[in-house]
Amino acid sequence: MSRPVFSSRFATFLTMVGVAVGLGNVWRFPYMMGQYGGSAFLLVYVLFMLAIAIPALNAEWALGRSMRSGPLDVFRTAFGNTFGTVVAVILIVAITIAVSYYTVVIANVVYTTVFAAVRGFAPEQIELFQRGLANGWLQYAIALLVISAALWIVYRGVHKGIEATSRLFVPVFAVVVLWLVIYALTLDGAVEQLAAFLKPDFSQMGPNEYFAALGQACFSLGIGGTLMIAYGSYLNDDVAIPRMALSAGLGDMLAAVLASLFIVPTLLVFGIGLASGPALIFSALPKLFGVMPAGRLVGTAFLGVLTLMAVLSAVAALEVIVVTLSHRFSRHRAVFVVGVVLAVLMLPTALKPELIAVLDLIVGSGMQTLGAALAVLALTWGVARAEVVRQLAPMPEWFYTWLKYVVPAALLFVLIAWLRSAIL
């Protein structure tokens, strides 16, 4: 059976943006910025996105399309059967752990959406909302429903599941986010607070902060040696990978910046600390929707669309795991096995949500940075240069050198510097 491909360039763009844009932009980016250097983090993140993450995305898509396969076959071909299998298995295990805690966060968003629709966020409702959010068993039950829905999309396949869902929800998400940015910036004192926040202080940046910025670029864009390789295998041969990667990367970066433009002013206006960790948006958004005109309706719409965008990112990770297991099982059986494994893995983070921040830094930043480096090395050292040039055409001559030497070196250098600072 031939491997499916995306039906058009526009569908490809929407699907790839749908993979990248999600909780990484609205949930993860603002709290990472708050914890790791503020606006200085933002500038370093943009630099890493343009110089490192987008070139690495080129490499992962080129790997997937050149071999028309998922990470297991790709790394076996590039690195040899034994080492390639070890690399692929480690990365697949990492993304399985990541999607387990990511689904719990999606469950939190689903709960917030339903609460917004049913009760709203008037001040007297906030305590009830927080109690439900802290109910681990309730959040676990919702997470089971979320993972079931995501696996159903995966089961339906590339065209009827992944592509069709992306076509519907990516444009809606963009419209709602733009409206929220406009409203948030009209809050009394928001522009002045934001202007003060956007004065960078690079003295706050150390190895941990640079590592977090690079990890955020990798996490947000979805690179890491797994899901973008799988999605690259669905690219048509007539798609110019460098142009599509730049478009998807800029779209993802714009989504993160826009998310910050409505979340950060809201936090500052209401006096909420930016360094409150993964629970950040669950403190800020209810207050925003509690005071804005038609906040209950708009809040429900935004959170609902955010949920669906987050599910698209989860679907991409699940597709990689299912494709890998399909080497041993049929697709429907692989979907069932993945569901059972995730049902077990989600329980600890649902009951102890403080684990999410720790896992997110190790797996979400660390393993994705390592995986991205390995993917770039697999392409530039494990695939013939002529094939790389063919996959990445049109590509300037210097880009191959940058991809082969600078990108993996930068990824590994920042990762090693972070490990050294963490150990010492």
Side-chain angles (χ1 to χ4, degrees):
M1 180 183 293
S2 62
R3 196 168 183 85
V5 295
F6 296 121
S7 60
S8 68
R9 293 183 187 181
F10 184 62
T12 301
F13 172 74
L14 289 180
T15 301
M16 294 306 190
V17 170
V19 172
V21 176
L23 293 184
N25 303 83
V26 181
W27 162 67
R28 196 178 196 268
F29 182 76
Y31 97 71
M32 293 289 283
M33 185 167 60
Q35 284 190 323
Y36 296 102
S39 56
F41 174 95
L42 170 62
L43 295 177
V44 173
Y45 156 79
V46 170
L47 175 63
F48 279 148
M49 179 69 82
L50 295 173
I52 305 298
I54 292 176
L57 178 61
N58 278 267
E60 296 200 10
W61 281 354
L63 269 175
R65 188 170 70 176
S66 68
M67 301 186 194
R68 293 292 179 197
S69 190
L72 185 60
D73 287 337
V74 162
F75 283 115
R76 280 175 172 173
T77 302
F79 291 145
N81 191 63
T82 301
F83 183 65
T85 299
V86 171
V87 167
V89 168
I90 290 173
L91 295 179
I92 294 298
V93 169
I95 200 170
T96 303
I97 295 171
V99 79
S100 70
Y101 70 75
Y102 187 82
T103 305
V104 173
V105 179
I106 299 175
N108 297 160
V109 178
V110 171
Y111 165 76
T112 307
T113 305
V114 174
F115 196 95
V118 175
R119 291 184 173 271
F121 290 116
E124 64 271 15
Q125 299 291 343
I126 297 298
E127 183 181 351
L128 179 62
F129 165 72
Q130 293 292 346
R131 283 206 307 268
L133 191 64
N135 186 331
W137 287 106
L138 173 61
Q139 299 305 319
Y140 178 67
I142 299 172
L144 290 176
L145 294 176
V146 170
I147 207 67
S148 298
L151 285 169
W152 178 76
I153 295 172
V154 170
Y155 180 74
R156 284 179 60 83
V158 172
H159 296 144
K160 293 181 179 179
I162 297 168
E163 191 178 286
T165 311
S166 302
R167 280 177 179 269
L168 181 59
F169 295 117
V170 171
V172 177
F173 176 82
V175 170
V176 175
V177 168
L178 284 171
W179 192 93
L180 279 170
V181 169
I182 292 169
Y183 181 83
L185 292 177
T186 63
L187 290 172
D188 201 20
V191 174
E192 292 80 6
Q193 295 263 28
L194 182 62
F197 173 79
L198 288 178
K199 294 177 180 177
D201 178 7
F202 285 96
S203 67
Q204 298 183 48
M205 299 296 292
N208 282 352
E209 286 71 27
Y210 283 104
F211 170 71
L214 180 58
Q216 173 61 30
C218 295
F219 184 96
S220 178
L221 201 51
I223 59 175
T226 51
L227 61 92
M228 284 304 186
I229 289 177
Y231 271 45
S233 71
Y234 303 140
L235 286 173
N236 271 294
D237 289 329
D238 64 350
V239 171
I241 286 179
R243 292 172 188 160
M244 184 62 70
L246 181 62
S247 298
L250 291 177
D252 177 68
M253 191 163 55
L254 178 62
V257 172
L258 287 176
S260 297
L261 284 178
F262 79 82
I263 290 178
V264 171
T266 304
L267 294 172
L268 297 175
V269 166
F270 287 103
I272 302 171
L274 280 166
S276 54
L280 183 64
I281 68 168
F282 303 110
S283 301
L285 294 186
K287 289 194 174 183
L288 173 60
F289 298 137
V291 299
M292 66 189 301
R296 188 166 176 178
L297 174 63
V298 175
T300 302
F302 169 74
L303 290 165
V305 174
L306 174 59
T307 299
L308 295 166
M309 293 295 290
V311 168
L312 287 179
S313 297
V315 163
L318 292 170
E319 175 70 12
V320 174
I321 305 166
V322 168
V323 165
T324 303
L325 288 180
S326 295
H327 284 77
R328 296 182 58 87
F329 306 109
S330 63
R331 187 173 180 88
H332 71 272
R333 184 170 292 183
V335 167
F336 174 77
V337 170
V338 171
V340 171
V341 170
L342 287 173
V344 175
L345 290 179
M346 290 187 303
L347 188 57
T349 48
L351 298 182
K352 291 188 175 295
E354 61 271 17
L355 293 173
I356 293 175
V358 177
L359 289 172
D360 196 39
L361 189 62
I362 296 171
V363 178
S365 291
M367 292 306 298
Q368 287 202 237
T369 302
L370 177 61
L374 290 170
V376 175
L377 291 171
L379 179 74
T380 54
W381 294 89
V383 177
R385 177 170 178 150
E387 175 63 13
V388 177
V389 171
R390 187 180 76 83
Q391 288 295 332
L392 294 180
M395 173 183 76
E397 182 67 25
W398 62 266
F399 187 73
Y400 181 83
T401 303
W402 181 267
L403 199 58
K404 185 171 185 176
Y405 298 104
V406 179
V407 172
L411 288 164
L412 292 173
F413 175 80
V414 175
L415 179 60
I416 292 168
W418 171 73
L419 287 172
R420 183 175 178 275
S421 69
I423 293 171
L424 299 179

